[in-house]
Amino acid sequence: MSSGMTVEQARELLLQNVKVMDVEQVDLLDALGRVLAQDMESDIDVAPFDNSAMDGFAVRAADLSGASEAHPVRVKVIEHIAAGDAPEITVGPGEASRIMTGAPMPAGADAVVMVEYSSVIEGDGATGSLVALSREVTAGENVRLQGEEVRAGDVVVAAGDVLGPAGIGLLASTGHGRVPVFRRPRVAVLSTGSELVEVDQVPGPGKIRNSNSYSVSAQVIAAGGVPVRMEVVRDDMQATREAFTRAVENSDFIVTTGGVSVGDFDYVKPVLKELGELMYCKVTMRPGNPQTMGVINGVPFFGLPGNPTSTYVGFEMFVRPAIRHMTGHTKLDRPVVSARLTHDVRKKPDRRYFMRGIVSRGQDGLEVLLAGSQSSALLTAAHRGNCFVVLPEGEREFAAGQIVNCMRLDMDEGIEL
Ligand code: AMP
Ligand code: MG
């Protein structure tokens, strides 16, 4: 077995060292996708008043007893109530008010007959007309009650709930223009490597573009954090020291890429040890064995490997759950599905593999194929794929047709399948 912690141990240790962020008040729309930090009460009843669920006629249900196509009941229209109006006239026996969806129910009426079951006998259908109604109604039919959604003073959205568009709508209807949510952590993104140049530069001899800074920053955003992209850190002890010190001052969480192997110029681990505490530096997984975790001055630190796909997988397995925990989420696991391998796969038995795959619905249920070359230096399979095919430690060969676990990257944590 190769040295290192299991994925579970490494993840647990990281989660123990990241704290849930403090609470901030944000504009309602900025709360989308975030976790509500306090129970929110309604200031009013919603709906605020009994109102019509249909366009039609507000009536006394008893008046329409026995009404049918063959035997319609005639009523006199006494008022026309639009949404936004306040009705003024009480509906008496043999009377009805023309009413629109969302308009308040007039006193005296207890049901609404849909306009589809009406015909005008006399007049233009407005106030003063005579109308025939061809349908019985029960009391309360097509009436939406005051307080049906929530009563004044009751909790409308609870602490810990993740705010989707419906939650945002509930908070709007109950008067909350600003809401308390857990602050997004500022995540310093540091790329180490003397070979790195910026995206807008054409790399000279021996150089490559700094792609990790962008992929990791995008992963930070997707996980609910705020990336703070810092300058490239040259492979130099003093430069690394200075960069880490600056990152500690400017962030709630530090993520680095590269410089964690056993190369002659890998300074992440020594500097982490010098400035803070190194908790682990190897996880029995592939890609990405050298995952490095620590704390500097209370700020959690995660050193991802440099190969773009090792970086990508390490972030997904460790940093993303940590950021979700920091932002108040309690669901930290992506959904896992079983799928049939479409072809043979070989691996070394020493580590758990996270292969980039494409899972889709086949004739016999879900099937999965590898999404291209699994080299940790190449990102295309991660781009094309929608899952990690998780192949356990200890195993060597997987035959076509075998059922394997696939971690769905295209589905949010907490989805029950
Ligand atoms: P390292 O872990 O620093 O030894 O880097 C491993 C491999 O990943 C090397 O081939 C690096 O050139 C490459 N690499 C490191 N950092 C980056 C980066 N920010 N963007 C793209 N490739 C990188
Ligand atoms: Mg390097």
Side-chain angles (χ1 to χ4, degrees), residues 83-126:
D85 286 352
E88 285 167 1
I89 309 175
T90 300
V91 176
E95 294 177 342
S97 290
R98 180 88 174 95
I99 194 165
M100 303 300 135
T101 304
M105 287 293 286
D110 58 9
V112 172
V113 182
M114 291 164 70
V115 70
E116 288 84 342
Y117 302 112
S118 70
S119 51
V120 178
I121 305 289
E122 213 180 278
D124 58 2

Side-chain angles (χ1 to χ4, degrees), residues 191-192 195-196 208-212 257-259 261 266 305-308:
S191 305
T192 73
E195 73 277 34
L196 303 174
I208 59 169
R209 290 200 175 101
N210 179 9
S211 64
N212 286 345
T257 74
S261 305
D266 289 339
N307 271 315

Side-chain angles (χ1 to χ4, degrees), residues 79-404:
E79 196 179 10
H80 195 149
I81 313 164
D85 286 352
E88 285 167 1
I89 309 175
T90 300
V91 176
E95 294 177 342
S97 290
R98 180 88 174 95
I99 194 165
M100 303 300 135
T101 304
M105 287 293 286
D110 58 9
V112 172
V113 182
M114 291 164 70
V115 70
E116 288 84 342
Y117 302 112
S118 70
S119 51
V120 178
I121 305 289
E122 213 180 278
D124 58 2
T127 305
S129 305
L130 204 56
V131 171
L133 301 176
S134 59
R135 179 96 168 202
E136 275 191 313
V137 277
T138 52
E141 196 167 331
N142 297 325
V143 177
R144 304 186 290 211
L145 297 177
Q146 176 172 346
E148 209 168 50
E149 186 96 76
V150 64
R151 288 279 178 193
D154 284 352
V155 171
V156 63
V157 185
D161 285 0
V162 181
L163 292 172
I168 298 274
L170 283 172
L171 290 169
S173 68
T174 53
H176 299 290
R178 284 175 70 77
V179 292
V181 292
F182 296 102
R183 192 160 67 74
R184 296 182 189 281
R186 285 167 56 83
V187 181
V189 178
L190 276 86
S191 305
T192 73
S194 298
E195 73 277 34
L196 303 174
V197 302
E198 255 310 317
V199 181
D200 55 4
Q201 286 177 269
V202 177
K207 308 286 190 209
I208 59 169
R209 290 200 175 101
N210 179 9
S211 64
N212 286 345
S213 176
Y214 287 88
S215 57
V216 168
S217 295
Q219 284 181 301
V220 169
I221 294 169
V226 178
V228 182
R229 282 197 339 103
M230 303 194 51
E231 276 180 19
V232 165
V233 187
R234 279 178 297 112
D235 292 319
D236 168 276
M237 188 88 172
Q238 183 54 21
T240 307
R241 212 177 262 136
E242 285 167 12
F244 286 11
T245 305
R246 239 177 306 128
V248 170
E249 286 158 11
N250 283 310
S251 65
D252 305 299
F253 192 178
I254 301 168
V255 177
T256 66
T257 74
V260 286
S261 305
V262 287
D264 291 342
F265 304 97
D266 289 339
Y267 293 113
V268 170
K269 281 182 277 182
V271 172
L272 174 56
K273 267 192 209 154
E274 180 189 299
L275 300 181
E277 188 186 349
L278 169 71
M279 295 187 170
Y280 58 82
C281 59
K282 275 195 193 315
V283 180
T284 54
M285 62 190 285
R286 186 188 175 106
N289 180 237
Q291 310 283 350
T292 301
M293 192 242 139
V295 179
I296 305 176
N297 267 352
V299 180
F301 179 103
F302 204 86
L304 295 160
N307 271 315
T309 289
S310 307
T311 314
Y312 178 78
V313 173
F315 188 105
E316 177 62 37
M317 297 311 299
F318 304 108
V319 182
R320 181 177 166 100
I323 292 176
R324 286 181 64 84
H325 177 70
M326 293 174 98
T327 49
H329 287 272
T330 51
K331 312 265 182 177
L332 305 182
D333 296 304
R334 297 274 202 185
V336 173
V337 295
S338 304
R340 201 175 299 276
L341 271 176
T342 58
H343 45 103
D344 297 349
V345 178
R346 291 179 62 86
K347 68 183 270 293
K348 292 190 190 143
D350 57 345
R351 303 187 199 159
R352 189 180 312 176
Y353 278 35
F354 295 91
M355 303 182 99
R356 283 68 66 207
I358 301 171
V359 65
S360 63
R361 195 160 292 285
Q363 276 177 343
D364 298 324
L366 293 181
E367 58 186 35
V368 63
L369 73 156
L370 298 186
S373 167
Q374 298 291 312
S375 161
S376 61
L378 308 178
L379 260 184
T380 301
H383 166 61
R384 291 212 186 113
N386 60 1
C387 69
F388 291 156
V389 183
V390 184
L391 302 179
E393 297 92 329
E395 307 279 327
R396 207 179 272 278
E397 282 177 26
F398 296 81
Q402 204 167 328
I403 302 292
V404 293

